Amino acid sequence: MSEYTVAGAVGVEARDWRAAVRAAAGLLVDAGAASAEYPDACVATVEEHGPYIVLTPGLALAHARPEGGAHASGVVAARLAAPVEFGHPDNDPVDLVLAFSATDDGDHVAMLAGLAKRLQAGLADELRAAGSGEGMRALLDGAP
């Protein structure tokens, strides 16, 4: 994923799923990949469509449409200090939130495909084991 803006954070405080999504998407804002409105657009997506972003046990993938404020393509990871409930019947609670931004539909699909491949190869467990935000960033970037 080295062609994308990447970042990571460990020990992210979040009282509920909305705060967890905002915190993860906020890393995209901090990195310059998204506007200040993007975290709220990510929350609105879940409010509209439900907790479908909770893909596997403990893992959520927050995102919004490009027009929600994506400035660049990026992916970030936030490991929560304490797990939160999203309301998913099988995969709650969530302790790891990935957030991504994409500037167009093609990049959106390409990023999802790349993340799916990396997640199948164990990326979530590697991110959970990372000792720092920099370690998470290196994992997302594909560094050994």
Side-chain angles (χ1 to χ4, degrees):
M1 313 236 45
S2 61
E3 65 271 24
Y4 302 118
T5 301
V6 295
V10 173
V12 174
E13 297 287 338
R15 68 185 179 287
D16 60 21
W17 71 263
R18 286 175 180 85
V21 167
R22 284 188 181 104
L27 295 172
L28 290 165
V29 175
D30 294 345
S35 71
E37 294 76 29
Y38 194 74
D40 287 334
C42 292
V43 168
T45 297
V46 179
E47 288 175 339
E48 182 177 343
H49 300 289
Y52 78 98
I53 68 166
V54 183
L55 302 179
T56 63
L59 173 73
L61 182 59
H63 60 282
R65 301 271 315 143
E67 59 270 16
H71 294 316
S73 295
V75 61
V76 298
R79 193 168 71 221
L80 304 179
V84 298
E85 300 283 330
F86 273 71
H88 193 282
D90 301 315
N91 296 329
D92 273 344
V94 169
D95 66 328
L96 183 63
V97 181
L98 301 180
F100 78 91
S101 59
T103 57
D104 60 49
D105 288 340
D107 208 23
H108 184 99
V109 171
M111 186 169 291
L112 278 175
L115 278 172
K117 183 177 178 181
R118 297 278 311 278
L119 288 167
Q120 288 175 342
L123 178 63
D125 290 336
E126 293 171 357
L127 290 168
R128 286 184 177 103
S132 67
E134 269 306 302
M136 295 175 88
R137 187 207 55 75
L139 288 165
L140 289 169
D141 204 25

